[in-house]
Amino acid sequence: MNYRINPKNGDKLSALGFGCMRFAKDEKEVEQQIIYAIENGVNYFDTAYIYPKSEATLGRVLAKGYRDRVKIATKMPPYLVKKYEDLDKIFNAELERLQTDRIDYYFLHMLTDVNIWMRLVNLGILKWIAEKKQAGQIINIGFSYHGGRDEFIKLVDAYDWEFCMIQYNFLDENKQAGKGGLEYAAAKGLPVMIMEPLRGGKLVTNLPKEVYKVWDNAYVKRSPAEWALRWIWNHPEVTVVLSGMNSQAMVEENIKVASQAKANAFTEADFGLFNQVTQILSEKIKIPCTGCNYCLPCPKGVDIPTCFSTYNDREIEGKTAALSKYIMQTSVKSQASNASLCSKCGKCESHCPQNIKIRDELATVAKTMEGFYYKPTRFLIKRFMKL
Ligand code: SF4
Ligand code: SF4
């Protein structure tokens, strides 16, 4: 196994982290996979309060003598924290499920903007974090994030975090926090954990046949998953890459790749292959937005690149997945940033290097992504999350 050093505290973390969101159904198999991973060098396990049965399953296996060989990462869901006492209620339940006295990497799960962080600050979370750290119950505090780069940078700057996690893969290089966000956080000395390295499997299965042809004709035989993972590990700014592993074959393949892949190892030939693949996938993309952010800020708060990227994802990920991303990323935050907020002032268009007719495209996005279900769904989610 290759290890990467946490630049904040010197922890030696396996380049591959075990993502525990969707374990295999059979508990015996899960146990075997976890133990195999530990015996083969994986020392970072990522779960969350809201992943069904995940913390309890992980805790049960680690209690068989493995707890001190690994770092546990788990997450507090901010939207379930309505009052100060909820922090302890959730955290204590997590300790109990995980059968441990400490969480090595504790996330605020899916912080979508600074206002949500400020709501927690107003509830007293700074005092709570200080007490937990003092007691040795939280070792490192960080946040996970889905959303645009500008808001990510504001969040990074909003507190003295000890780590963060973003979605990153070769198709999202310029989306969400993206390469710019990764480099910004790393330059501030933060270890950056990566989720969705295979975009939930979408970079591996059901790809256009031309993509498989590129990989099949490459100078070396590697699976699409291996190529995608190696692309991430090529980044020296990345600390741990999570992979949601739910079969023994997957665990073995990922460990093998994680033991070989190094940072800055890609050659011109490798980058050439990725250029071909992204080109093929980009042709499926309706709006040629590169996520450069030059069109921002919009006076109406429209997150133009996120509106376009989630709309484009319809072609690659399917309508339902894209719609749910659109709602989560443009509405599940204190200030909505969806396409129909556009007042058509035109301020953004002169800044777009791709000459996208932003106003027209936003109108299409609003029509397609904000059907009759949009407002009620948004209302229910925001009410539930107290936004
Ligand atoms: S045209 Fe729409 S998206 Fe562009 S700046 Fe104006 S309000 Fe914002
Ligand atoms: S300026 Fe154009 S390409 Fe860049 S993010 Fe805005 S719409 Fe996309």
Side-chain angles (χ1 to χ4, degrees):
M1 174 60 56
N2 282 321
Y3 292 88
R4 297 200 172 186
I5 303 299
N6 174 338
K8 274 265 178 189
N9 66 8
D11 275 356
K12 193 175 159 192
L13 301 175
S14 53
L16 175 68
F18 201 123
C20 304
M21 185 162 77
R22 282 183 217 99
F23 280 134
K25 284 205 177 74
D26 184 309
E27 288 240 341
K28 199 84 208 138
E29 274 178 36
V30 175
E31 181 171 331
Q32 279 164 5
Q33 289 159 16
I34 291 174
I35 293 172
Y36 179 91
I38 296 171
E39 297 296 357
N40 285 277
V42 175
N43 69 0
Y44 185 95
F45 286 75
D46 175 278
T47 178
Y49 183 75
I50 59 163
Y51 299 165
K53 291 189 188 165
S54 172
E55 289 179 321
T57 303
L58 181 63
R60 185 181 59 73
V61 178
L62 295 183
K64 297 186 175 186
Y66 297 96
R67 171 62 186 99
D68 292 334
R69 292 174 64 177
V70 304
K71 303 292 184 195
I72 295 178
T74 193
K75 312 184 188 83
M76 163 86 68
Y79 49 90
L80 293 183
V81 179
K82 320 282 192 213
K83 53 186 186 309
Y84 185 82
E85 294 71 34
D86 292 338
L87 294 164
D88 261 347
K89 199 169 121 197
I90 294 169
F91 185 75
N92 289 338
E94 294 189 285
L95 289 182
E96 198 178 320
R97 289 174 181 175
L98 285 158
Q99 302 188 36
T100 186
D101 58 357
R102 67 190 187 283
I103 304 298
D104 304 287
Y105 287 84
Y106 199 55
F107 288 90
L108 299 178
H109 198 171
M110 229 169 58
L111 267 193
T112 45
D113 65 20
V114 170
N115 292 338
I116 293 175
W117 167 240
M118 289 316 296
R119 184 179 75 79
L120 296 173
V121 169
N122 291 334
L123 280 181
I125 198 168
L126 296 181
K127 172 175 164 280
W128 183 82
I129 292 171
E131 283 173 6
K132 293 294 163 205
K133 293 198 73 168
Q134 174 77 22
Q137 289 183 300
I138 290 179
I139 311 299
N140 300 281
I141 184 84
F143 68 97
S144 67
Y145 178 80
H146 288 280
R149 188 178 60 206
D150 291 355
E151 199 61 38
F152 173 72
I153 287 172
K154 282 188 211 161
L155 267 171
V156 166
D157 290 340
Y159 181 65
D160 189 14
W161 303 105
E162 292 167 306
F163 65 99
C164 62
M165 179 154 74
I166 58 171
Q167 170 169 332
Y168 196 55
N169 55 63
F170 72 83
L171 210 55
D172 289 328
E173 185 170 12
N174 297 306
K175 290 181 194 155
Q176 298 206 10
K179 190 174 168 63
L182 169 68
E183 289 176 348
Y184 185 83
K188 289 198 83 171
L190 282 185
V192 184
M193 318 311 185
I194 302 297
M195 58 185 155
E196 301 286 2
L198 308 178
R199 256 197 180 207
K202 298 293 186 301
L203 300 182
V204 175
T205 50
N206 298 325
L207 291 165
K209 59 181 184 321
E210 303 94 305
V211 170
Y212 289 114
K213 213 163 150 189
V214 173
W215 296 141
D216 288 345
N217 293 337
Y219 67 94
V220 56
K221 187 120 193 79
R222 287 173 183 161
S223 68
E226 177 168 354
W227 278 113
L229 289 169
R230 280 180 183 264
W231 183 89
I232 301 175
W233 280 313
N234 193 54
H235 294 70
E237 302 88 354
V238 165
T239 304
V240 174
V241 178
L242 293 184
S243 178
M245 299 180 276
N246 51 21
S247 75
Q248 182 64 21
M250 210 184 274
V251 177
E252 289 178 21
E253 180 185 11
N254 287 353
I255 288 174
K256 187 185 103 212
V257 182
S259 307
Q260 297 169 352
K262 301 266 191 212
N264 293 323
F266 267 23
T267 62
E268 286 303 314
D270 295 312
F271 286 120
L273 291 167
F274 278 92
N275 284 343
Q276 288 180 55
V277 169
T278 43
Q279 174 78 32
I280 294 164
L281 293 173
S282 302
E283 278 162 16
K284 300 237 157 242
I285 281 168
K286 296 257 193 282
I287 305 173
C289 171
T290 60
C292 69
N293 282 9
Y294 294 154
C295 52
L296 298 180
C298 153
K300 292 291 175 188
V302 180
D303 184 347
I304 302 165
T306 297
C307 289
F308 290 164
S309 71
T310 46
Y311 174 78
N312 283 336
D313 283 346
R314 284 161 35 102
E315 301 302 319
I316 297 167
E317 300 201 357
K319 287 180 191 165
T320 312
L323 272 174
S324 107
K325 274 197 319 212
Y326 181 78
I327 294 174
M328 291 304 284
Q329 291 182 28
T330 64
S331 291
V332 184
K333 54 212 294 197
S334 48
Q335 269 204 312
S337 57
N338 51 303
S340 60
L341 294 171
C342 172
S343 65
K344 298 195 181 298
C345 71
K347 178 179 166 279
C348 51
E349 289 188 4
S350 58
H351 300 290
C352 179
Q354 308 300 322
N355 293 319
I356 295 170
K357 289 189 172 24
I358 294 177
R359 287 172 285 186
D360 292 350
E361 297 293 13
L362 283 174
T364 307
V365 173
K367 196 169 161 210
T368 316
M369 308 295 266
E370 298 180 29
F372 67 91
Y373 47 79
Y374 179 74
K375 281 189 179 157
T377 309
R378 180 171 73 175
F379 174 77
L380 287 173
I381 295 176
K382 288 190 74 164
R383 193 160 164 195
F384 176 65
M385 294 176 81
K386 281 214 159 183
L387 297 173

PDB file of all heavy atoms in Angstrom, residues 295 297-300 302 304 341-349 358-359 362, ligand 1:
ATOM      1  N   CYS A 295     -18.028  33.938 -15.128  1.00  0.00           N
ATOM      2  CA  CYS A 295     -19.332  34.612 -15.211  1.00  0.00           C
ATOM      3  C   CYS A 295     -19.864  35.027 -13.837  1.00  0.00           C
ATOM      4  O   CYS A 295     -20.863  35.725 -13.752  1.00  0.00           O
ATOM      5  CB  CYS A 295     -20.334  33.699 -15.895  1.00  0.00           C
ATOM      6  SG  CYS A 295     -20.397  32.056 -15.154  1.00  0.00           S
ATOM      7  N   PRO A 297     -19.589  36.784  -9.856  1.00  0.00           N
ATOM      8  CA  PRO A 297     -20.885  36.480  -9.248  1.00  0.00           C
ATOM      9  C   PRO A 297     -22.044  37.031 -10.061  1.00  0.00           C
ATOM     10  O   PRO A 297     -21.911  38.053 -10.731  1.00  0.00           O
ATOM     11  CB  PRO A 297     -20.794  37.203  -7.898  1.00  0.00           C
ATOM     12  CG  PRO A 297     -19.910  38.376  -8.155  1.00  0.00           C
ATOM     13  CD  PRO A 297     -18.923  37.918  -9.187  1.00  0.00           C
ATOM     14  N   CYS A 298     -23.163  36.358  -9.947  1.00  0.00           N
ATOM     15  CA  CYS A 298     -24.397  36.826 -10.586  1.00  0.00           C
ATOM     16  C   CYS A 298     -25.166  37.641  -9.553  1.00  0.00           C
ATOM     17  O   CYS A 298     -25.295  37.206  -8.409  1.00  0.00           O
ATOM     18  CB  CYS A 298     -25.203  35.605 -11.016  1.00  0.00           C
ATOM     19  SG  CYS A 298     -26.976  35.892 -11.101  1.00  0.00           S
ATOM     20  N   PRO A 299     -25.675  38.814  -9.925  1.00  0.00           N
ATOM     21  CA  PRO A 299     -26.392  39.638  -8.929  1.00  0.00           C
ATOM     22  C   PRO A 299     -27.620  38.944  -8.337  1.00  0.00           C
ATOM     23  O   PRO A 299     -28.058  39.288  -7.239  1.00  0.00           O
ATOM     24  CB  PRO A 299     -26.791  40.892  -9.705  1.00  0.00           C
ATOM     25  CG  PRO A 299     -26.598  40.568 -11.147  1.00  0.00           C
ATOM     26  CD  PRO A 299     -25.593  39.470 -11.228  1.00  0.00           C
ATOM     27  N   LYS A 300     -28.138  37.963  -9.047  1.00  0.00           N
ATOM     28  CA  LYS A 300     -29.314  37.246  -8.517  1.00  0.00           C
ATOM     29  C   LYS A 300     -28.913  35.964  -7.785  1.00  0.00           C
ATOM     30  O   LYS A 300     -29.754  35.188  -7.341  1.00  0.00           O
ATOM     31  CB  LYS A 300     -30.287  36.880  -9.663  1.00  0.00           C
ATOM     32  CG  LYS A 300     -30.938  38.086 -10.284  1.00  0.00           C
ATOM     33  CD  LYS A 300     -31.917  38.705  -9.289  1.00  0.00           C
ATOM     34  CE  LYS A 300     -32.507  39.991  -9.827  1.00  0.00           C
ATOM     35  NZ  LYS A 300     -33.291  40.696  -8.807  1.00  0.00           N
ATOM     36  N   VAL A 302     -27.421  33.313  -9.063  1.00  0.00           N
ATOM     37  CA  VAL A 302     -27.488  32.046  -9.824  1.00  0.00           C
ATOM     38  C   VAL A 302     -26.087  31.428  -9.876  1.00  0.00           C
ATOM     39  O   VAL A 302     -25.118  32.105 -10.233  1.00  0.00           O
ATOM     40  CB  VAL A 302     -27.984  32.301 -11.274  1.00  0.00           C
ATOM     41  CG1 VAL A 302     -28.050  30.972 -12.039  1.00  0.00           C
ATOM     42  CG2 VAL A 302     -29.337  32.992 -11.265  1.00  0.00           C
ATOM     43  N   ILE A 304     -24.248  29.683 -11.964  1.00  0.00           N
ATOM     44  CA  ILE A 304     -24.344  29.331 -13.387  1.00  0.00           C
ATOM     45  C   ILE A 304     -23.616  28.013 -13.704  1.00  0.00           C
ATOM     46  O   ILE A 304     -24.200  27.104 -14.296  1.00  0.00           O
ATOM     47  CB  ILE A 304     -23.818  30.493 -14.264  1.00  0.00           C
ATOM     48  CG1 ILE A 304     -24.628  31.761 -13.966  1.00  0.00           C
ATOM     49  CG2 ILE A 304     -23.884  30.148 -15.745  1.00  0.00           C
ATOM     50  CD1 ILE A 304     -24.008  33.057 -14.476  1.00  0.00           C
ATOM     51  N   LEU A 341     -33.887  31.869 -11.151  1.00  0.00           N
ATOM     52  CA  LEU A 341     -33.670  33.164 -10.482  1.00  0.00           C
ATOM     53  C   LEU A 341     -33.101  34.202 -11.455  1.00  0.00           C
ATOM     54  O   LEU A 341     -33.063  35.388 -11.157  1.00  0.00           O
ATOM     55  CB  LEU A 341     -32.683  33.002  -9.314  1.00  0.00           C
ATOM     56  CG  LEU A 341     -33.168  32.144  -8.141  1.00  0.00           C
ATOM     57  CD1 LEU A 341     -32.019  31.895  -7.167  1.00  0.00           C
ATOM     58  CD2 LEU A 341     -34.325  32.826  -7.425  1.00  0.00           C
ATOM     59  N   CYS A 342     -32.639  33.759 -12.605  1.00  0.00           N
ATOM     60  CA  CYS A 342     -32.004  34.669 -13.570  1.00  0.00           C
ATOM     61  C   CYS A 342     -32.992  35.743 -14.021  1.00  0.00           C
ATOM     62  O   CYS A 342     -34.110  35.447 -14.434  1.00  0.00           O
ATOM     63  CB  CYS A 342     -31.512  33.860 -14.774  1.00  0.00           C
ATOM     64  SG  CYS A 342     -30.933  34.904 -16.113  1.00  0.00           S
ATOM     65  N   SER A 343     -32.552  37.014 -13.943  1.00  0.00           N
ATOM     66  CA  SER A 343     -33.417  38.128 -14.360  1.00  0.00           C
ATOM     67  C   SER A 343     -33.085  38.583 -15.775  1.00  0.00           C
ATOM     68  O   SER A 343     -33.596  39.590 -16.242  1.00  0.00           O
ATOM     69  CB  SER A 343     -33.237  39.300 -13.393  1.00  0.00           C
ATOM     70  OG  SER A 343     -31.899  39.773 -13.512  1.00  0.00           O
ATOM     71  N   LYS A 344     -32.168  37.862 -16.424  1.00  0.00           N
ATOM     72  CA  LYS A 344     -31.770  38.125 -17.818  1.00  0.00           C
ATOM     73  C   LYS A 344     -31.072  39.476 -17.987  1.00  0.00           C
ATOM     74  O   LYS A 344     -31.180  40.125 -19.025  1.00  0.00           O
ATOM     75  CB  LYS A 344     -32.970  38.026 -18.760  1.00  0.00           C
ATOM     76  CG  LYS A 344     -33.605  36.647 -18.775  1.00  0.00           C
ATOM     77  CD  LYS A 344     -34.533  36.485 -19.953  1.00  0.00           C
ATOM     78  CE  LYS A 344     -35.198  35.135 -20.004  1.00  0.00           C
ATOM     79  NZ  LYS A 344     -34.298  34.021 -20.145  1.00  0.00           N
ATOM     80  N   CYS A 345     -30.351  39.919 -16.976  1.00  0.00           N
ATOM     81  CA  CYS A 345     -29.655  41.217 -17.083  1.00  0.00           C
ATOM     82  C   CYS A 345     -28.507  41.157 -18.103  1.00  0.00           C
ATOM     83  O   CYS A 345     -28.101  42.167 -18.651  1.00  0.00           O
ATOM     84  CB  CYS A 345     -29.119  41.653 -15.713  1.00  0.00           C
ATOM     85  SG  CYS A 345     -27.720  40.648 -15.147  1.00  0.00           S
ATOM     86  N   GLY A 346     -27.959  39.985 -18.330  1.00  0.00           N
ATOM     87  CA  GLY A 346     -26.916  39.811 -19.352  1.00  0.00           C
ATOM     88  C   GLY A 346     -25.505  40.107 -18.876  1.00  0.00           C
ATOM     89  O   GLY A 346     -24.540  39.938 -19.626  1.00  0.00           O
ATOM     90  N   LYS A 347     -25.336  40.492 -17.626  1.00  0.00           N
ATOM     91  CA  LYS A 347     -24.024  40.870 -17.101  1.00  0.00           C
ATOM     92  C   LYS A 347     -22.989  39.741 -17.264  1.00  0.00           C
ATOM     93  O   LYS A 347     -21.816  40.000 -17.522  1.00  0.00           O
ATOM     94  CB  LYS A 347     -24.203  41.213 -15.609  1.00  0.00           C
ATOM     95  CG  LYS A 347     -22.958  41.589 -14.881  1.00  0.00           C
ATOM     96  CD  LYS A 347     -23.303  41.928 -13.428  1.00  0.00           C
ATOM     97  CE  LYS A 347     -22.037  41.980 -12.588  1.00  0.00           C
ATOM     98  NZ  LYS A 347     -21.558  40.682 -12.167  1.00  0.00           N
ATOM     99  N   CYS A 348     -23.447  38.517 -17.144  1.00  0.00           N
ATOM    100  CA  CYS A 348     -22.516  37.384 -17.161  1.00  0.00           C
ATOM    101  C   CYS A 348     -21.950  37.073 -18.548  1.00  0.00           C
ATOM    102  O   CYS A 348     -20.825  36.587 -18.674  1.00  0.00           O
ATOM    103  CB  CYS A 348     -23.227  36.138 -16.640  1.00  0.00           C
ATOM    104  SG  CYS A 348     -24.806  35.839 -17.477  1.00  0.00           S
ATOM    105  N   GLU A 349     -22.721  37.327 -19.590  1.00  0.00           N
ATOM    106  CA  GLU A 349     -22.374  36.746 -20.899  1.00  0.00           C
ATOM    107  C   GLU A 349     -21.072  37.277 -21.477  1.00  0.00           C
ATOM    108  O   GLU A 349     -20.321  36.541 -22.117  1.00  0.00           O
ATOM    109  CB  GLU A 349     -23.535  36.942 -21.878  1.00  0.00           C
ATOM    110  CG  GLU A 349     -24.697  36.034 -21.497  1.00  0.00           C
ATOM    111  CD  GLU A 349     -25.831  36.012 -22.503  1.00  0.00           C
ATOM    112  OE1 GLU A 349     -25.712  36.653 -23.570  1.00  0.00           O
ATOM    113  OE2 GLU A 349     -26.847  35.366 -22.201  1.00  0.00           O
ATOM    114  N   ILE A 358     -25.736  32.471 -22.067  1.00  0.00           N
ATOM    115  CA  ILE A 358     -26.070  32.006 -20.711  1.00  0.00           C
ATOM    116  C   ILE A 358     -27.557  32.180 -20.398  1.00  0.00           C
ATOM    117  O   ILE A 358     -28.205  31.289 -19.846  1.00  0.00           O
ATOM    118  CB  ILE A 358     -25.174  32.726 -19.669  1.00  0.00           C
ATOM    119  CG1 ILE A 358     -23.713  32.288 -19.870  1.00  0.00           C
ATOM    120  CG2 ILE A 358     -25.638  32.420 -18.250  1.00  0.00           C
ATOM    121  CD1 ILE A 358     -22.706  32.976 -18.964  1.00  0.00           C
ATOM    122  N   ARG A 359     -28.116  33.326 -20.791  1.00  0.00           N
ATOM    123  CA  ARG A 359     -29.530  33.563 -20.460  1.00  0.00           C
ATOM    124  C   ARG A 359     -30.433  32.522 -21.111  1.00  0.00           C
ATOM    125  O   ARG A 359     -31.323  31.968 -20.472  1.00  0.00           O
ATOM    126  CB  ARG A 359     -29.947  34.970 -20.901  1.00  0.00           C
ATOM    127  CG  ARG A 359     -29.353  36.045 -20.008  1.00  0.00           C
ATOM    128  CD  ARG A 359     -29.594  37.416 -20.555  1.00  0.00           C
ATOM    129  NE  ARG A 359     -28.722  37.700 -21.704  1.00  0.00           N
ATOM    130  CZ  ARG A 359     -28.639  38.880 -22.299  1.00  0.00           C
ATOM    131  NH1 ARG A 359     -29.385  39.886 -21.874  1.00  0.00           N
ATOM    132  NH2 ARG A 359     -27.824  39.069 -23.299  1.00  0.00           N
ATOM    133  N   LEU A 362     -29.850  29.105 -19.464  1.00  0.00           N
ATOM    134  CA  LEU A 362     -30.449  29.003 -18.126  1.00  0.00           C
ATOM    135  C   LEU A 362     -31.963  28.806 -18.232  1.00  0.00           C
ATOM    136  O   LEU A 362     -32.570  28.087 -17.431  1.00  0.00           O
ATOM    137  CB  LEU A 362     -30.139  30.252 -17.292  1.00  0.00           C
ATOM    138  CG  LEU A 362     -28.719  30.317 -16.714  1.00  0.00           C
ATOM    139  CD1 LEU A 362     -28.484  31.667 -16.020  1.00  0.00           C
ATOM    140  CD2 LEU A 362     -28.468  29.186 -15.707  1.00  0.00           C
TER     141      LEU A 362
HETATM  142  S1  SF4 B   1     -28.172  37.193 -16.977  1.00  0.00           S
HETATM  143 FE1  SF4 B   1     -29.009  35.982 -15.327  1.00  0.00          FE
HETATM  144  S2  SF4 B   1     -27.349  34.636 -14.729  1.00  0.00           S
HETATM  145 FE2  SF4 B   1     -26.437  36.264 -15.932  1.00  0.00          FE
HETATM  146  S3  SF4 B   1     -25.778  37.768 -14.389  1.00  0.00           S
HETATM  147 FE3  SF4 B   1     -27.829  38.349 -15.081  1.00  0.00          FE
HETATM  148  S4  SF4 B   1     -29.209  37.393 -13.605  1.00  0.00           S
HETATM  149 FE4  SF4 B   1     -27.224  36.390 -13.400  1.00  0.00          FE
END
